[in-house]
Amino acid sequence: MIPYDRIISEMERQLSVARRTNEDSTMREAFAAVRSLCEVALGGESKREEKIVPKMLTTASAVQSITSLDGKLLEEEDANGGSLFDF
């Protein structure tokens, strides 16, 4: 395990970087480093759980979107024809 003195000194260094900078991205990186150092000091017990849950299509919604394509051409007054390249 990393000694607490070394973790604290690295936290202090990151905090001084955050104090000196005027850029949001650099400040956020310093804060993220401090957070990671806290997790290391606490033994890796992170209470944050960032889970990305994909939204699954149900069969009914997939079938509905396919059946809504009935194959009729859209006819407008200023259109020249059925091609995508006809304006």
Side-chain angles (χ1 to χ4, degrees), residues 59-74:
T59 307
S61 64
V63 170
Q64 182 182 8
S65 64
I66 292 172
T67 57
S68 66
L69 302 173
D70 53 8
K72 294 181 184 175
L73 294 177
L74 178 63

Side-chain angles (χ1 to χ4, degrees), residues 3-60:
Y4 290 128
D5 293 344
R6 188 168 176 196
I7 294 173
I8 291 171
S9 62
E10 182 61 24
M11 284 181 178
E12 289 171 344
R13 189 180 76 77
Q14 291 295 333
L15 287 173
S16 68
V17 168
R19 282 188 191 113
R20 287 189 309 241
T21 189
N22 292 327
E23 296 179 20
D24 285 343
S25 63
T26 305
M27 189 176 293
R28 291 179 60 83
E29 288 175 9
F31 289 146
V34 170
R35 177 176 50 202
S36 297
L37 289 165
C38 288
E39 290 174 3
V40 168
L42 295 172
E45 296 177 14
S46 175
K47 300 294 180 185
R48 275 183 31 218
E49 290 189 29
E50 295 181 19
K51 294 182 179 178
I52 299 174
V53 180
K55 184 177 178 182
M56 301 298 286
L57 290 176
T58 60
T59 307

Side-chain angles (χ1 to χ4, degrees), residues 73-74 79-87:
L73 294 177
L74 178 63
N80 292 335
S83 173
L84 291 174
F85 300 105
D86 291 336
F87 298 105

